[in-house]
């Protein structure tokens, strides 16, 4: 029986094998490569992995991006680097007092964050961002960003100011809309939607984000997004905006005292209510790095963190990625609570000291 199957397999044309394999997604293709020698040989061809990348990241169809991917190792390596998501569970279980301590080589905070020579091996122009948004597996927006916007000028303001990348360029009239035609549920009443939250749930379950960074100099790539949202909420000032948060936890050991940072990818949709239908307009898509106290990381340290992220651990198991993010949130919450307790103790000591001083003063006066 096995011989008959083997003879039948070897008698099939390699063109048929190729046609079968090129229709598979990357994960299935990698599994099929382990089935037999013929599949393994064909699965090494770049054209097959190029198709697999196109199906997941439409931005890779750009001709300049194709050349970039080939220069950093090809589509097969690119897929294996960017499909698994970043996982970092090595979080410091530290108290607030120890969190404020800087390593001995930095005498104080000014030495750590102040002006001094930037590592010339890292430049904003080394990084390329490939961003894709999908809703219900349908691409709705793709963009490639070469370098980092507004970062020109070596040792300029970029290196010492909070790092932030705003992807939407309103001067180029980037307008991304979602409507009923894209699969959104029809909304007859905004007040009813606020109570039921049907649109909110559909957006949470259907939206997907991929934000890949490539370092041209070190020839490495990584996906900084979490694919699915880590959180969705209404923007409280108007209640007509949805804030969707993606991201990952990146290592920062030897770069920042907290040793880990959160890469926060924020997407904001605004409800556009017209007579014919209700639609959503994408008004913000940004990336920034935040430490465990919620402070924004400056440009120089952000470049170092992004470079370090290209070589950190990854996983295809989304539950493991989610666990990593939840663990970070837990440690961050504990740090904030410890900070509040310390501040409360200090307040009580100050109040008691003031009362004691007042009583002592009154005692000597009377």
């Amino acid at each position: 029986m096995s011989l008959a199957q083997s003879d039948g397999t070897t008698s099939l044309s390699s063109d048929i094998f190729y046609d079968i394999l090129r229709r598979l997604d990357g994960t299935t293709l990698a599994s099929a490569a382990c089935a037999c020698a013929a599949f393994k040989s064909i699965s090494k061809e770049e054209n097959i992995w190029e198709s697999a990348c196109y199906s997941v990241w439409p931005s890779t169809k750009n001709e300049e991006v194709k050349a970039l991917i080939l220069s950093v190792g090809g589509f097969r390596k690119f897929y294996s680097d960017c499909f698994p998501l970043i996982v970092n569970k090595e979080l410091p279980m530290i108290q607030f007092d120890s969190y404020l301590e800087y390593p001995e080589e930095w005498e104080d905070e000014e030495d750590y964050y102040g002006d001094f020579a930037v590592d010339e091996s890292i430049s904003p122009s080394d990084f390329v961002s490939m961003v894709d948004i999908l809703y219900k597996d349908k691409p709705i927006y793709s963009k490639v960003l070469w370098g980092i916007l507004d970062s020109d000028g070596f040792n300029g303001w970029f290196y010492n100011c909070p790092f932030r990348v705003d992807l939407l360029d309103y001067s180029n009239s980037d307008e991304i809309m979602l409507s009923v035609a894209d699969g959104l549920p029809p909304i007859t009443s905004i007040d009813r939607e606020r109570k039921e939250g049907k649109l909110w749930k559909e957006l949470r379950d259907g939206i997907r984000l991929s934000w890949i960074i490539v370092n041209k100099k070190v020839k490495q790539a990584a996906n900084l997004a979490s694919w699915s949202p880590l959180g969705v909420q209404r923007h409280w000032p108007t209640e007509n905006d949805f804030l969707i948060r993606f991201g990952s936890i990146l290592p920062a050991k030897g770069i920042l005292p907290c040793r880990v940072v959160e890469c926060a990818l924020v997407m904001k949709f605004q409800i556009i209510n017209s007579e014919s239908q209700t639609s959503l307009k994408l008004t913000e898509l940004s990336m920034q790095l935040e430490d465990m106290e919620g402070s924004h990381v400056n440009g120089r340290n952000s470049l170092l963190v992004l470079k370090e992220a290209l070589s950190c651990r990854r996983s295809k198991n989304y539950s493991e990625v989610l666990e990593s993010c939840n663990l970070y949130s837990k440690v961050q919450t504990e740090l904030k609570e410890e900070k509040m307790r310390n501040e409360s103790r200090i307040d009580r000591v100050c109040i008691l000291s003031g009362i004691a001083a007042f009583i002592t003063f009154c005692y000597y006066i009377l």
Side-chain angles (χ1 to χ4, degrees):
M1 185 67 178
S2 60
L3 273 175
Q5 286 182 342
S6 177
D7 292 341
T9 302
T10 54
S11 65
L12 289 174
S13 169
S14 59
D15 292 336
I16 298 178
F17 283 162
Y18 180 87
D19 189 60
I20 294 172
L21 294 180
R22 73 179 181 85
R23 300 173 187 271
L24 304 178
D25 61 84
T27 305
T28 309
L29 179 59
S31 300
C34 303
C36 65
F39 282 6
K40 182 177 180 181
S41 177
I42 297 175
S43 65
K44 293 180 180 180
E45 295 189 18
E46 281 293 298
N47 290 337
I48 288 184
W49 287 101
E50 186 175 348
S51 299
C53 289
Y54 289 170
S55 64
V56 181
W57 306 293
S59 58
T60 57
K61 293 182 180 180
N62 183 292
E63 291 298 327
E64 292 181 328
V65 172
K66 289 182 185 179
L68 172 66
I69 293 175
L70 292 175
S71 69
V72 299
F75 284 92
R76 185 183 181 188
K77 180 180 182 298
F78 181 81
Y79 192 98
S80 65
D81 286 343
C82 300
F83 185 76
L85 301 177
I86 292 175
V87 173
N88 183 15
K89 297 182 180 180
E90 298 179 1
L91 302 180
M93 305 300 291
I94 51 180
Q95 299 296 323
F96 177 70
D97 293 339
S98 63
Y99 173 76
L100 294 178
E101 295 178 0
Y102 289 79
E104 294 181 358
E105 56 265 32
W106 304 310
E107 294 183 0
D108 53 32
E109 186 174 356
E110 183 178 357
D111 290 338
Y112 186 79
Y113 289 103
D115 297 331
F116 58 85
V118 178
D119 187 352
E120 297 185 7
S121 65
I122 307 176
S123 171
S125 60
D126 295 336
F127 293 91
V128 179
S129 294
M130 290 176 278
V131 181
D132 295 284
I133 303 176
L134 294 87
Y135 181 70
K136 294 187 175 180
D137 297 327
K138 177 185 176 183
I140 62 172
Y141 180 72
S142 295
K143 188 165 186 177
V144 180
L145 183 65
W146 299 87
I148 297 176
L149 294 175
D150 302 325
S151 61
D152 52 339
F154 200 76
N155 280 336
W157 65 268
F158 166 80
Y159 292 94
N160 299 303
C161 290
F163 174 81
R164 180 183 172 92
V165 177
D166 287 300
L167 197 66
L168 296 185
D169 186 358
Y170 295 99
S171 62
N172 290 338
S173 301
D174 286 341
E175 186 170 280
I176 303 94
M177 304 289 294
L178 279 176
S179 63
V180 176
D182 298 308
L184 285 179
I187 303 300
T188 56
S189 170
I190 296 295
D191 292 334
R192 185 176 180 181
E193 160 58 25
R194 289 172 180 170
K195 294 178 181 178
E196 297 179 353
K198 188 176 180 180
L199 180 60
W200 174 85
K201 294 176 183 176
E202 287 285 338
L203 195 60
R204 177 197 61 190
D205 297 337
I207 202 75
R208 298 291 181 268
L209 173 66
S210 172
W211 191 310
I212 295 174
I213 59 165
V214 181
N215 189 309
K216 298 182 292 184
K217 185 173 293 184
V218 300
K219 300 185 184 301
Q220 290 180 312
N223 196 340
L224 300 180
S226 51
W227 270 119
S228 299
L230 299 175
V232 181
Q233 64 184 35
R234 289 186 180 275
H235 192 42
W236 65 266
T238 63
E239 292 192 357
N240 287 333
D241 294 332
F242 290 106
L243 285 177
I244 309 174
R245 193 178 182 94
F246 301 80
S248 55
I249 309 304
L250 308 181
K253 188 175 181 180
I255 303 173
L256 291 170
C258 56
R259 290 177 282 176
V260 288
V261 299
E262 180 184 10
C263 177
L265 307 175
V266 177
M267 187 186 300
K268 182 190 289 185
F269 281 96
Q270 181 182 13
I271 299 177
I272 307 296
N273 193 19
S274 62
E275 295 181 358
S276 58
Q277 65 176 2
T278 299
S279 57
L280 295 176
K281 179 181 179 181
L282 183 63
T283 58
E284 179 184 333
L285 181 56
S286 63
M287 173 177 68
Q288 57 193 27
L289 302 185
E290 300 175 357
D291 65 15
M292 297 194 73
E293 286 193 319
S295 301
H296 295 180
V297 182
N298 63 25
R300 175 174 56 82
N301 290 331
S302 295
L303 293 182
L304 295 172
V305 170
L306 291 178
K307 183 180 178 182
E308 185 71 18
L310 296 174
S311 56
C312 66
R313 179 175 171 260
R314 299 161 212 194
S315 173
K316 292 182 288 186
N317 186 353
Y318 180 71
S319 61
E320 190 176 6
V321 177
L322 190 60
E323 182 184 353
S324 172
C325 296
N326 290 338
L327 181 60
Y328 178 87
S329 297
K330 180 181 178 182
V331 174
Q332 189 179 44
T333 301
E334 291 175 353
L335 177 66
K336 290 180 180 179
E337 291 175 351
E338 179 68 18
K339 180 180 179 181
M340 292 178 62
R341 285 194 291 268
N342 285 346
E343 291 177 349
S344 178
R345 294 190 195 102
I346 293 174
D347 290 341
R348 287 197 295 268
V349 170
C350 291
I351 292 173
L352 293 175
S353 299
I355 293 174
F358 177 76
I359 293 175
T360 304
F361 176 76
C362 292
Y363 175 80
Y364 282 107
I365 292 296
L366 297 177

